[in-house]
Amino acid sequence: MSHNINIFAFLLLIFLLSLPAPSSGRPPFACDPQNGVTRNLRFCEANLPVDVRVRDLIGRLTLQEKIRLLVNNAAAIPRLGIQGYEWWSEALHGVSNVGPGTKFGGAFPGATSFPQVITTAASFNQSLWEQIGKVVSDEARAMYNEGTAGLTYWSPNVNIFRDPRWGRGQETPGEDPVLAGKYAAAYVRGLQGASGNRLKVAACCKHYVAYDLDNWKGVDRYHFNARVSKQDLEDTYNVPFKACVVDGGVASVMCSYNQVNGKPTCADPDLLKGTIRGQWRLNGYIVSDCDSVGVLYESQHYTATPEEAAAATIKAGLDLNCGPFLAVHTEEAVRGGLLVQADVDVALANTITVQMRLGMFDGEPSAQQFGNLGPTDVCTSAHQQLALEAARQGIVLLKNSGRSLPLSTKRHRTVAVIGPNSDVTVTMIGNYAGVACGYTTPLQGISRYARTVHQAGCLNVACNGNQQFGAAEAASRQADATVLVMGLDQSIEAEFTDRVGVLLPGYQQELVTRVAKASRGPVVLVLMCGGPVDVSFAKNDPRIGAIIWAGYPGQAGGAAIADVVFGTHNPGGKLPMTWYPQDYVAKVPMTNMGMRPSGGYPGRTYRFYKGPVVFPFGHGISYTTFTHSLAQAPTELTIPLGISFSTSGNSTFSSSAVRVKHTNCEVLALGLHVDVKNTGDVDGTQTLLVFSSPPSGKWSLNKQLIGFEKIHVVARSQQRVKIDVDVCKHLSVVDKFGIRRIPMGAHNIHIGDLKHSIFLQATLEGIKS
């Protein structure tokens, strides 16, 4: 870490330490009806339109007061009855105390801690994601009502999990942009509620954009310039953020530390004003990562003075600074003519509007819609049951040779539970977590089904020695079955920490192999990790009958793992990311942002990479078997052209593909009806994944996820599923200019082993050339 970042870290520490402690236990709100001085102010009239109230409030502020509202610990304005407010809270997979806006203790010793996002994403279940968001916002509102939390949550993280070594990949919904976008919209809807313009809490999609490197081989996020083509920006990196804003209606977007093509994202007007607010019509505010504005001046040296940095970010469209930088330097920027007060007013209008949509200027929260929520609404049995169900749905069965699983309580009365992650608690909840309601470890979960013999085998996941292997082998010899719980934790993959390779750390592989050789019964390998690991050795070892990926399964993770191992839950999760072999990452630098193969560069993710994998995106098996058949699907579709066109140059018909903006997307929806039959003897949940591939030609796309559905099918029965396909979104491709087009010709639909062709052709009827 550079000297500049050390200075920044010191300043930020001083800044955070100076935050006022919660005083009266009352939530921060304005327009207290008991305050005779302020209750009749126009901005306190809740029946007026929000924009009228916002203009009235901003018109009453001095320049100094305005500037102190530009940062996350916004200052109080006592003369207007406005209390200080801490904007920074986190709710990635449960209310978290990572940000200073949330405090646990007293009536709120903890909150429900759901599985880490990468695990929840593996469920491919949009209704589950929205339900989790609703529970998290219930608990957030309950804590706010008691004065221990805010209402602005800087979650979710919807960056594309581009490289398997990224330490924060665990926080994301995976490598596919459609999956990430659908996750983003569903979780945001759950968090924010659906009450017109009102907000239950305000979510934030981060980190915009092309941010997926923290610290790899001396390259850190503070100095990294992500070189991204227009094509990759449009068809990969922007997709989940657009879905978050357009489909999810998110109240905030956070810009990232890195530069994109030479410009810091928080100072790029094309990205902020042009794309987020202009094209996507964000109804909310844009916030910097902490402290991106200081970083672009002190570390990236993008501007010559701090005042220029303050001016550049605000004029680019930044509304709120996490960190003190704008509070320190904006006034001088205004006095020096780099900014005018109107620029500051625009930023404040965006943040204050969100606060008013949250009801923070409507008086006492207890009298508002969610004012009845309190301590009894946190860590409820229903919430904790949902955390268990989310973990079950996210667990992926990767291998099951000879039906090694499920184990039988009659035949497998004694189970050896081995490994550094076999009896962990906080490891299960990953990063950006809070204080869980309680934990069920894998050992505790398995102990509910069988007598257990426990050996850690390693002191921790680093597994730097094999001194304890003998005891682990002995345990496996005396048991009817062996469950090895291995993998990673936040010491290996985390924010600030990217991996160099994807092998199991230290001597873990040796421990697994030796225990498997010694075991007298079936051997199950459970992997607890966010990013993928190369376990080719275990995949190819006949003594290891089954492999399970649990991700970081949350507070109830051990119970969910045990339920899968003993078959009371039939796994239905699918991998949301490709698992690469070690030799892939050995030759692909993290700093190469290209998605497509070129020269000796193999490309990234299942959409473009064609080489060998350990387990592919979408892989996951069940204790039963399913077949698919198409009940109803079009064989051809006409694409109407909606405006004048030219057949020359970079136009509508370039490369036999219609520009998306030249057709009427509203009428271009496909319905695919698929019959899913459970051909086995046990009930099961099938995660139906539908892919498409474009007509053969210059498009380098292998295939693209276009839809998914999760359905429960009783043994020997059949269900029909309808998958809605948005042609403009899902059958389009992006050219090298960043223009989205719909290729004419045969598009192939893939559903498992099923393949169906849909022929697209353009019509010119009624169109003048």
Side-chain angles (χ1 to χ4, degrees), residues 395-428:
I395 287 174
V396 181
L397 180 61
L398 299 173
K399 174 186 177 181
N400 193 21
S401 299
R403 297 194 174 182
S404 300
L405 288 179
L407 299 183
S408 163
T409 53
K410 293 180 180 177
R411 294 194 311 275
H412 307 111
R413 297 177 183 273
T414 301
V415 177
V417 184
I418 293 167
N421 280 338
S422 58
D423 197 27
V424 293
T425 54
V426 293
T427 295
M428 294 194 299

Side-chain angles (χ1 to χ4, degrees), residues 44-115:
C44 291
E45 297 179 30
N47 60 324
L48 289 175
V50 169
D51 61 325
V52 173
R53 301 171 69 194
V54 170
R55 280 198 304 272
D56 179 76
L57 172 54
I58 292 174
R60 298 174 187 272
L61 301 175
T62 66
L63 176 61
Q64 290 74 23
E65 288 170 338
K66 291 175 181 178
I67 287 168
R68 285 297 289 120
L69 298 180
L70 293 173
V71 291
N72 63 287
N73 65 334
I77 307 171
R79 67 183 183 85
L80 297 177
I82 298 173
Q83 297 183 35
Y85 178 66
E86 176 53 68
W87 286 83
W88 181 5
S89 290
E90 303 277 357
L92 183 69
H93 50 112
V95 179
S96 167
N97 57 353
V98 169
T102 303
K103 301 284 188 294
F104 287 115
F108 300 98
T112 309
S113 194
F114 290 92

